[in-house]
Amino acid sequence: MMEAGWSARRVNRQPTASSAAIQAKVALSLGALVSSRTIQRCLAEGHLGSRCPLRVLPLTPTYRRIRLEWFRARGNRTAADWNQVVFSDESRFNLGSDDNRVRVWRLRGERFNPAFALPRHTTPTTGVKIWDAIAYNTLSPLVLIRRTMTAQ
């Protein structure tokens, strides 16, 4: 019989492995068939659950440094200063294939652990892009971007 610690150690090496892949690997290493229910039970005993991974932007070390410098330069601003700022962002919604089907085996509370984060989809696919802005006590209208997004 398998012990929970064994399964937790094995899954942490490959957090995106399916339960069928884990079952095949365990059967190969033990030289005996192991039921999928046993795999599920051992993962549960190790407090591992199948969860959606955190999707992160693939930031380079240079971009991380620049962002940190930006925040440090503005760390002494007051609430009145921030009330004068407008934040805007664009979001893209993928209309093609579903790229959110990947699951990871991790403990509860490990969402922000980089070992369980996956880069966002960045290659061109069919989709819709929208832009919006928010400021103190104000919202902008939601804008559908039909072409390439530029500073203008």
Side-chain angles (χ1 to χ4, degrees):
M1 174 144 267
M2 295 185 337
E3 61 183 66
W6 183 91
S7 64
R9 284 192 304 271
R10 296 295 275 177
V11 171
N12 281 337
R13 288 187 197 156
Q14 282 189 308
T16 59
S18 67
S19 57
I22 295 169
Q23 183 180 12
K25 224 177 220 187
V26 170
L28 185 63
S29 67
L30 293 178
L33 293 177
V34 178
S35 73
S36 59
R37 182 66 194 121
T38 300
I39 299 293
Q40 296 285 333
R41 188 178 64 252
C42 288
L43 291 170
E45 288 171 2
H47 304 288
L48 293 172
S50 176
R51 296 170 173 56
C52 290
L54 175 67
R55 296 287 178 161
V56 297
L57 287 173
L59 293 178
T60 65
T62 301
Y63 279 121
R64 288 182 186 170
R65 181 183 48 77
I66 290 170
R67 285 181 174 209
L68 184 58
E69 288 171 3
W70 188 92
F71 284 110
R72 285 184 176 156
R74 288 153 184 83
N76 59 351
R77 290 196 175 182
T78 66
D81 293 333
W82 285 112
N83 289 345
Q84 303 301 312
V85 175
V86 175
F87 293 96
S88 71
D89 197 11
E90 69 275 350
S91 293
R92 187 171 193 291
F93 296 92
N94 185 12
L95 299 178
S97 64
D98 181 12
D99 58 351
N100 291 322
R101 294 181 188 225
V102 175
R103 308 282 287 179
V104 294
W105 296 99
R106 63 173 172 79
L107 298 170
R108 187 176 296 276
E110 288 188 319
R111 177 174 175 81
F112 297 107
N113 182 338
F116 304 113
L118 296 177
R120 285 188 187 173
H121 185 74
T122 57
T123 58
T125 59
T126 304
V128 175
K129 187 173 265 194
I130 59 168
W131 174 88
D132 199 3
I134 187 170
Y136 182 71
N137 278 341
T138 298
L139 292 174
S140 76
L142 195 62
V143 178
L144 177 64
I145 308 297
R146 297 193 184 274
R147 298 193 177 116
T148 302
M149 182 85 168
T150 66
Q152 289 74 36

